[in-house]
PDB file of all heavy atoms in Angstrom:
ATOM      1  N   VAL F 249     -40.024  89.663  74.664  1.00 98.00           N
ATOM      2  CA  VAL F 249     -38.658  90.190  74.730  1.00 98.00           C
ATOM      3  C   VAL F 249     -38.562  91.280  75.789  1.00 98.00           C
ATOM      4  O   VAL F 249     -37.637  91.291  76.625  1.00 98.00           O
ATOM      5  CB  VAL F 249     -38.218  90.725  73.349  1.00 98.00           C
ATOM      6  CG1 VAL F 249     -36.886  91.471  73.464  1.00 98.00           C
ATOM      7  CG2 VAL F 249     -38.082  89.582  72.349  1.00 98.00           C
ATOM      8  N   GLY F 250     -39.510  92.185  75.789  1.00 98.00           N
ATOM      9  CA  GLY F 250     -39.491  93.272  76.773  1.00 98.00           C
ATOM     10  C   GLY F 250     -39.639  92.775  78.194  1.00 98.00           C
ATOM     11  O   GLY F 250     -38.934  93.242  79.101  1.00 98.00           O
ATOM     12  N   TRP F 251     -40.559  91.814  78.409  1.00 98.00           N
ATOM     13  CA  TRP F 251     -40.781  91.283  79.751  1.00 98.00           C
ATOM     14  C   TRP F 251     -39.551  90.548  80.259  1.00 98.00           C
ATOM     15  O   TRP F 251     -39.145  90.710  81.420  1.00 98.00           O
ATOM     16  CB  TRP F 251     -41.993  90.355  79.761  1.00 98.00           C
ATOM     17  CG  TRP F 251     -42.482  90.018  81.136  1.00 98.00           C
ATOM     18  CD1 TRP F 251     -43.463  90.645  81.848  1.00 98.00           C
ATOM     19  CD2 TRP F 251     -41.999  88.957  81.991  1.00 98.00           C
ATOM     20  NE1 TRP F 251     -43.623  90.059  83.076  1.00 98.00           N
ATOM     21  CE2 TRP F 251     -42.732  89.006  83.198  1.00 98.00           C
ATOM     22  CE3 TRP F 251     -41.024  87.972  81.849  1.00 98.00           C
ATOM     23  CZ2 TRP F 251     -42.531  88.123  84.247  1.00 98.00           C
ATOM     24  CZ3 TRP F 251     -40.802  87.083  82.893  1.00 98.00           C
ATOM     25  CH2 TRP F 251     -41.556  87.164  84.076  1.00 98.00           C
ATOM     26  N   ALA F 252     -38.941  89.748  79.405  1.00 98.00           N
ATOM     27  CA  ALA F 252     -37.757  88.974  79.806  1.00 98.00           C
ATOM     28  C   ALA F 252     -36.609  89.896  80.198  1.00 98.00           C
ATOM     29  O   ALA F 252     -35.950  89.698  81.229  1.00 98.00           O
ATOM     30  CB  ALA F 252     -37.333  88.059  78.665  1.00 98.00           C
ATOM     31  N   GLU F 253     -36.378  90.925  79.394  1.00 97.00           N
ATOM     32  CA  GLU F 253     -35.292  91.860  79.695  1.00 97.00           C
ATOM     33  C   GLU F 253     -35.555  92.609  80.995  1.00 97.00           C
ATOM     34  O   GLU F 253     -34.660  92.800  81.820  1.00 97.00           O
ATOM     35  CB  GLU F 253     -35.136  92.828  78.519  1.00 97.00           C
ATOM     36  CG  GLU F 253     -33.928  93.745  78.628  1.00 97.00           C
ATOM     37  CD  GLU F 253     -34.257  95.048  79.332  1.00 97.00           C
ATOM     38  OE1 GLU F 253     -35.354  95.580  79.099  1.00 97.00           O
ATOM     39  OE2 GLU F 253     -33.421  95.514  80.131  1.00 97.00           O
ATOM     40  N   ALA F 254     -36.813  92.984  81.219  1.00 97.00           N
ATOM     41  CA  ALA F 254     -37.165  93.733  82.422  1.00 97.00           C
ATOM     42  C   ALA F 254     -37.114  92.883  83.675  1.00 97.00           C
ATOM     43  O   ALA F 254     -37.022  93.423  84.790  1.00 97.00           O
ATOM     44  CB  ALA F 254     -38.570  94.328  82.262  1.00 97.00           C
ATOM     45  N   HIS F 255     -37.159  91.561  83.528  1.00 98.00           N
ATOM     46  CA  HIS F 255     -37.191  90.676  84.698  1.00 98.00           C
ATOM     47  C   HIS F 255     -35.890  89.886  84.875  1.00 98.00           C
ATOM     48  O   HIS F 255     -35.881  88.791  85.445  1.00 98.00           O
ATOM     49  CB  HIS F 255     -38.384  89.733  84.613  1.00 98.00           C
ATOM     50  CG  HIS F 255     -39.696  90.434  84.875  1.00 98.00           C
ATOM     51  ND1 HIS F 255     -40.324  91.191  83.924  1.00 98.00           N
ATOM     52  CD2 HIS F 255     -40.467  90.496  85.995  1.00 98.00           C
ATOM     53  CE1 HIS F 255     -41.436  91.697  84.438  1.00 98.00           C
ATOM     54  NE2 HIS F 255     -41.543  91.304  85.690  1.00 98.00           N
ATOM     55  N   GLY F 256     -34.798  90.459  84.399  1.00 97.00           N
ATOM     56  CA  GLY F 256     -33.487  89.954  84.781  1.00 97.00           C
ATOM     57  C   GLY F 256     -32.848  88.922  83.877  1.00 97.00           C
ATOM     58  O   GLY F 256     -31.769  88.409  84.195  1.00 97.00           O
ATOM     59  N   ALA F 257     -33.453  88.583  82.738  1.00 98.00           N
ATOM     60  CA  ALA F 257     -32.826  87.625  81.827  1.00 98.00           C
ATOM     61  C   ALA F 257     -31.588  88.249  81.193  1.00 98.00           C
ATOM     62  O   ALA F 257     -31.627  89.391  80.729  1.00 98.00           O
ATOM     63  CB  ALA F 257     -33.812  87.199  80.747  1.00 98.00           C
ATOM     64  N   LYS F 258     -30.502  87.503  81.159  1.00 98.00           N
ATOM     65  CA  LYS F 258     -29.289  87.945  80.486  1.00 98.00           C
ATOM     66  C   LYS F 258     -29.103  87.236  79.150  1.00 98.00           C
ATOM     67  O   LYS F 258     -28.222  87.593  78.362  1.00 98.00           O
ATOM     68  CB  LYS F 258     -28.064  87.716  81.380  1.00 98.00           C
ATOM     69  CG  LYS F 258     -28.045  88.623  82.610  1.00 98.00           C
ATOM     70  CD  LYS F 258     -28.086  90.090  82.208  1.00 98.00           C
ATOM     71  CE  LYS F 258     -28.056  91.021  83.398  1.00 98.00           C
ATOM     72  NZ  LYS F 258     -28.199  92.444  82.985  1.00 98.00           N
ATOM     73  N   VAL F 259     -29.926  86.212  78.925  1.00 98.00           N
ATOM     74  CA  VAL F 259     -29.964  85.508  77.646  1.00 98.00           C
ATOM     75  C   VAL F 259     -31.436  85.300  77.308  1.00 98.00           C
ATOM     76  O   VAL F 259     -32.230  84.941  78.181  1.00 98.00           O
ATOM     77  CB  VAL F 259     -29.251  84.139  77.700  1.00 98.00           C
ATOM     78  CG1 VAL F 259     -29.212  83.490  76.324  1.00 98.00           C
ATOM     79  CG2 VAL F 259     -27.852  84.264  78.287  1.00 98.00           C
ATOM     80  N   ILE F 260     -31.814  85.548  76.056  1.00 98.00           N
ATOM     81  CA  ILE F 260     -33.169  85.260  75.597  1.00 98.00           C
ATOM     82  C   ILE F 260     -33.086  84.224  74.495  1.00 98.00           C
ATOM     83  O   ILE F 260     -32.386  84.432  73.495  1.00 98.00           O
ATOM     84  CB  ILE F 260     -33.886  86.522  75.080  1.00 98.00           C
ATOM     85  CG1 ILE F 260     -34.157  87.487  76.244  1.00 98.00           C
ATOM     86  CG2 ILE F 260     -35.186  86.167  74.372  1.00 98.00           C
ATOM     87  CD1 ILE F 260     -34.786  88.811  75.810  1.00 98.00           C
ATOM     88  N   ASN F 261     -33.757  83.102  74.693  1.00 98.00           N
ATOM     89  CA  ASN F 261     -33.807  82.043  73.683  1.00 98.00           C
ATOM     90  C   ASN F 261     -35.137  82.121  72.945  1.00 98.00           C
ATOM     91  O   ASN F 261     -36.205  82.048  73.550  1.00 98.00           O
ATOM     92  CB  ASN F 261     -33.663  80.677  74.336  1.00 98.00           C
ATOM     93  CG  ASN F 261     -33.615  79.550  73.314  1.00 98.00           C
ATOM     94  OD1 ASN F 261     -32.537  79.129  72.890  1.00 98.00           O
ATOM     95  ND2 ASN F 261     -34.780  79.051  72.901  1.00 98.00           N
ATOM     96  N   PHE F 262     -35.053  82.240  71.608  1.00 98.00           N
ATOM     97  CA  PHE F 262     -36.254  82.302  70.778  1.00 98.00           C
ATOM     98  C   PHE F 262     -36.153  81.192  69.736  1.00 98.00           C
ATOM     99  O   PHE F 262     -35.648  81.381  68.638  1.00 98.00           O
ATOM    100  CB  PHE F 262     -36.360  83.668  70.096  1.00 98.00           C
ATOM    101  CG  PHE F 262     -37.755  84.028  69.659  1.00 98.00           C
ATOM    102  CD1 PHE F 262     -38.575  84.799  70.459  1.00 98.00           C
ATOM    103  CD2 PHE F 262     -38.249  83.592  68.431  1.00 98.00           C
ATOM    104  CE1 PHE F 262     -39.861  85.135  70.056  1.00 98.00           C
ATOM    105  CE2 PHE F 262     -39.523  83.917  68.023  1.00 98.00           C
ATOM    106  CZ  PHE F 262     -40.337  84.687  68.834  1.00 98.00           C
ATOM    107  N   SER F 263     -36.632  80.002  70.114  1.00 97.00           N
ATOM    108  CA  SER F 263     -36.570  78.844  69.222  1.00 97.00           C
ATOM    109  C   SER F 263     -37.811  78.771  68.350  1.00 97.00           C
ATOM    110  O   SER F 263     -38.470  77.730  68.246  1.00 97.00           O
ATOM    111  CB  SER F 263     -36.420  77.555  70.040  1.00 97.00           C
ATOM    112  OG  SER F 263     -35.121  77.424  70.549  1.00 97.00           O
ATOM    113  N   ALA F 264     -38.137  79.872  67.719  1.00 93.00           N
ATOM    114  CA  ALA F 264     -39.310  79.949  66.863  1.00 93.00           C
ATOM    115  C   ALA F 264     -39.042  81.015  65.815  1.00 93.00           C
ATOM    116  O   ALA F 264     -38.023  81.704  65.843  1.00 93.00           O
ATOM    117  CB  ALA F 264     -40.553  80.290  67.682  1.00 93.00           C
ATOM    118  N   VAL F 265     -39.960  81.122  64.889  1.00 92.00           N
ATOM    119  CA  VAL F 265     -39.826  82.085  63.808  1.00 92.00           C
ATOM    120  C   VAL F 265     -41.116  82.885  63.700  1.00 92.00           C
ATOM    121  O   VAL F 265     -42.206  82.327  63.737  1.00 92.00           O
ATOM    122  CB  VAL F 265     -39.540  81.371  62.474  1.00 92.00           C
ATOM    123  CG1 VAL F 265     -39.653  82.340  61.303  1.00 92.00           C
ATOM    124  CG2 VAL F 265     -38.150  80.736  62.490  1.00 92.00           C
ATOM    125  N   THR F 266     -40.976  84.187  63.597  1.00 93.00           N
ATOM    126  CA  THR F 266     -42.136  85.037  63.333  1.00 93.00           C
ATOM    127  C   THR F 266     -41.771  86.004  62.217  1.00 93.00           C
ATOM    128  O   THR F 266     -40.694  85.886  61.612  1.00 93.00           O
ATOM    129  CB  THR F 266     -42.583  85.771  64.612  1.00 93.00           C
ATOM    130  OG1 THR F 266     -43.820  86.434  64.382  1.00 93.00           O
ATOM    131  CG2 THR F 266     -41.540  86.757  65.090  1.00 93.00           C
ATOM    132  N   GLY F 267     -42.658  86.945  61.912  1.00 91.00           N
ATOM    133  CA  GLY F 267     -42.431  87.841  60.798  1.00 91.00           C
ATOM    134  C   GLY F 267     -41.733  89.128  61.194  1.00 91.00           C
ATOM    135  O   GLY F 267     -41.505  89.400  62.378  1.00 91.00           O
ATOM    136  N   PRO F 268     -41.383  89.943  60.201  1.00 93.00           N
ATOM    137  CA  PRO F 268     -40.713  91.215  60.483  1.00 93.00           C
ATOM    138  C   PRO F 268     -41.670  92.226  61.099  1.00 93.00           C
ATOM    139  O   PRO F 268     -42.865  92.221  60.831  1.00 93.00           O
ATOM    140  CB  PRO F 268     -40.248  91.680  59.101  1.00 93.00           C
ATOM    141  CG  PRO F 268     -41.205  91.034  58.149  1.00 93.00           C
ATOM    142  CD  PRO F 268     -41.575  89.720  58.745  1.00 93.00           C
ATOM    143  N   SER F 269     -41.116  93.055  61.943  1.00 95.00           N
ATOM    144  CA  SER F 269     -41.916  94.070  62.624  1.00 95.00           C
ATOM    145  C   SER F 269     -40.988  95.129  63.183  1.00 95.00           C
ATOM    146  O   SER F 269     -39.970  94.805  63.812  1.00 95.00           O
ATOM    147  CB  SER F 269     -42.733  93.434  63.751  1.00 95.00           C
ATOM    148  OG  SER F 269     -43.119  94.372  64.725  1.00 95.00           O
ATOM    149  N   GLY F 270     -41.361  96.377  62.981  1.00 97.00           N
ATOM    150  CA  GLY F 270     -40.574  97.461  63.566  1.00 97.00           C
ATOM    151  C   GLY F 270     -40.572  97.394  65.081  1.00 97.00           C
ATOM    152  O   GLY F 270     -39.550  97.666  65.727  1.00 97.00           O
ATOM    153  N   ASP F 271     -41.707  97.026  65.674  1.00 98.00           N
ATOM    154  CA  ASP F 271     -41.787  96.919  67.135  1.00 98.00           C
ATOM    155  C   ASP F 271     -40.883  95.799  67.658  1.00 98.00           C
ATOM    156  O   ASP F 271     -40.259  95.952  68.714  1.00 98.00           O
ATOM    157  CB  ASP F 271     -43.229  96.660  67.569  1.00 98.00           C
ATOM    158  CG  ASP F 271     -44.125  97.883  67.402  1.00 98.00           C
ATOM    159  OD1 ASP F 271     -43.581  99.004  67.281  1.00 98.00           O
ATOM    160  OD2 ASP F 271     -45.359  97.712  67.382  1.00 98.00           O
ATOM    161  N   LEU F 272     -40.830  94.690  66.924  1.00 98.00           N
ATOM    162  CA  LEU F 272     -39.963  93.592  67.351  1.00 98.00           C
ATOM    163  C   LEU F 272     -38.496  93.988  67.252  1.00 98.00           C
ATOM    164  O   LEU F 272     -37.693  93.710  68.153  1.00 98.00           O
ATOM    165  CB  LEU F 272     -40.226  92.344  66.507  1.00 98.00           C
ATOM    166  CG  LEU F 272     -39.384  91.110  66.849  1.00 98.00           C
ATOM    167  CD1 LEU F 272     -39.608  90.688  68.292  1.00 98.00           C
ATOM    168  CD2 LEU F 272     -39.709  89.956  65.900  1.00 98.00           C
ATOM    169  N   ILE F 273     -38.136  94.662  66.164  1.00 98.00           N
ATOM    170  CA  ILE F 273     -36.756  95.134  66.023  1.00 98.00           C
ATOM    171  C   ILE F 273     -36.395  96.085  67.153  1.00 98.00           C
ATOM    172  O   ILE F 273     -35.313  95.983  67.755  1.00 98.00           O
ATOM    173  CB  ILE F 273     -36.552  95.808  64.652  1.00 98.00           C
ATOM    174  CG1 ILE F 273     -36.694  94.780  63.529  1.00 98.00           C
ATOM    175  CG2 ILE F 273     -35.181  96.495  64.575  1.00 98.00           C
ATOM    176  CD1 ILE F 273     -36.731  95.381  62.135  1.00 98.00           C
ATOM    177  N   ASP F 274     -37.304  96.985  67.489  1.00 98.00           N
ATOM    178  CA  ASP F 274     -37.051  97.934  68.581  1.00 98.00           C
ATOM    179  C   ASP F 274     -36.880  97.196  69.918  1.00 98.00           C
ATOM    180  O   ASP F 274     -35.988  97.535  70.711  1.00 98.00           O
ATOM    181  CB  ASP F 274     -38.198  98.931  68.697  1.00 98.00           C
ATOM    182  CG  ASP F 274     -38.220  99.942  67.553  1.00 98.00           C
ATOM    183  OD1 ASP F 274     -37.198 100.052  66.843  1.00 98.00           O
ATOM    184  OD2 ASP F 274     -39.264 100.599  67.372  1.00 98.00           O
ATOM    185  N   ALA F 275     -37.729  96.204  70.178  1.00 98.00           N
ATOM    186  CA  ALA F 275     -37.653  95.467  71.444  1.00 98.00           C
ATOM    187  C   ALA F 275     -36.345  94.694  71.547  1.00 98.00           C
ATOM    188  O   ALA F 275     -35.682  94.686  72.597  1.00 98.00           O
ATOM    189  CB  ALA F 275     -38.845  94.515  71.563  1.00 98.00           C
ATOM    190  N   VAL F 276     -35.949  94.052  70.444  1.00 98.00           N
ATOM    191  CA  VAL F 276     -34.693  93.298  70.437  1.00 98.00           C
ATOM    192  C   VAL F 276     -33.505  94.238  70.573  1.00 98.00           C
ATOM    193  O   VAL F 276     -32.557  93.965  71.337  1.00 98.00           O
ATOM    194  CB  VAL F 276     -34.589  92.448  69.159  1.00 98.00           C
ATOM    195  CG1 VAL F 276     -33.177  91.871  68.998  1.00 98.00           C
ATOM    196  CG2 VAL F 276     -35.612  91.316  69.189  1.00 98.00           C
ATOM    197  N   ASP F 277     -33.523  95.351  69.850  1.00 98.00           N
ATOM    198  CA  ASP F 277     -32.425  96.321  69.945  1.00 98.00           C
ATOM    199  C   ASP F 277     -32.274  96.843  71.376  1.00 98.00           C
ATOM    200  O   ASP F 277     -31.148  97.008  71.877  1.00 98.00           O
ATOM    201  CB  ASP F 277     -32.667  97.491  68.993  1.00 98.00           C
ATOM    202  CG  ASP F 277     -32.424  97.139  67.531  1.00 98.00           C
ATOM    203  OD1 ASP F 277     -31.841  96.066  67.279  1.00 98.00           O
ATOM    204  OD2 ASP F 277     -32.825  97.929  66.659  1.00 98.00           O
ATOM    205  N   THR F 278     -33.400  97.094  72.034  1.00 98.00           N
ATOM    206  CA  THR F 278     -33.356  97.580  73.415  1.00 98.00           C
ATOM    207  C   THR F 278     -32.749  96.537  74.337  1.00 98.00           C
ATOM    208  O   THR F 278     -31.905  96.864  75.201  1.00 98.00           O
ATOM    209  CB  THR F 278     -34.769  97.951  73.899  1.00 98.00           C
ATOM    210  OG1 THR F 278     -35.281  99.016  73.089  1.00 98.00           O
ATOM    211  CG2 THR F 278     -34.751  98.395  75.354  1.00 98.00           C
ATOM    212  N   ALA F 279     -33.164  95.299  74.170  1.00 98.00           N
ATOM    213  CA  ALA F 279     -32.611  94.226  75.003  1.00 98.00           C
ATOM    214  C   ALA F 279     -31.110  94.101  74.792  1.00 98.00           C
ATOM    215  O   ALA F 279     -30.335  93.979  75.758  1.00 98.00           O
ATOM    216  CB  ALA F 279     -33.322  92.912  74.686  1.00 98.00           C
ATOM    217  N   ILE F 280     -30.676  94.120  73.537  1.00 98.00           N
ATOM    218  CA  ILE F 280     -29.242  94.002  73.237  1.00 98.00           C
ATOM    219  C   ILE F 280     -28.478  95.195  73.814  1.00 98.00           C
ATOM    220  O   ILE F 280     -27.393  95.034  74.391  1.00 98.00           O
ATOM    221  CB  ILE F 280     -29.022  93.883  71.719  1.00 98.00           C
ATOM    222  CG1 ILE F 280     -29.567  92.539  71.213  1.00 98.00           C
ATOM    223  CG2 ILE F 280     -27.537  94.020  71.371  1.00 98.00           C
ATOM    224  CD1 ILE F 280     -29.564  92.388  69.701  1.00 98.00           C
ATOM    225  N   ASP F 281     -29.041  96.388  73.684  1.00 98.00           N
ATOM    226  CA  ASP F 281     -28.399  97.575  74.249  1.00 98.00           C
ATOM    227  C   ASP F 281     -28.250  97.477  75.764  1.00 98.00           C
ATOM    228  O   ASP F 281     -27.334  98.072  76.346  1.00 98.00           O
ATOM    229  CB  ASP F 281     -29.202  98.830  73.900  1.00 98.00           C
ATOM    230  CG  ASP F 281     -29.094  99.219  72.432  1.00 98.00           C
ATOM    231  OD1 ASP F 281     -28.188  98.713  71.750  1.00 98.00           O
ATOM    232  OD2 ASP F 281     -29.932 100.020  71.972  1.00 98.00           O
ATOM    233  N   ASN F 282     -29.152  96.731  76.397  1.00 97.00           N
ATOM    234  CA  ASN F 282     -29.102  96.557  77.849  1.00 97.00           C
ATOM    235  C   ASN F 282     -28.320  95.310  78.271  1.00 97.00           C
ATOM    236  O   ASN F 282     -28.420  94.885  79.418  1.00 97.00           O
ATOM    237  CB  ASN F 282     -30.520  96.505  78.409  1.00 97.00           C
ATOM    238  CG  ASN F 282     -31.209  97.861  78.369  1.00 97.00           C
ATOM    239  OD1 ASN F 282     -30.559  98.897  78.445  1.00 97.00           O
ATOM    240  ND2 ASN F 282     -32.526  97.856  78.224  1.00 97.00           N
TER     241      ASN F 282
END
């Protein structure tokens, strides 16, 4: 998520499922904020 946002993606597709994580929430929140 962090790499995609930093390299110009305006849409991130995540066609998979993983578990909960504070770091993941932070990374997603940052991308959405940007």
Side-chain angles (χ1 to χ4, degrees):
V249 171
W251 193 94
E253 187 269 321
H255 287 79
K258 292 302 181 184
V259 185
I260 292 176
N261 184 94
F262 202 95
S263 285
V265 170
T266 188
S269 158
D271 288 342
L272 180 59
I273 294 171
D274 288 345
V276 169
D277 286 347
T278 298
I280 292 173
D281 288 345
N282 288 331

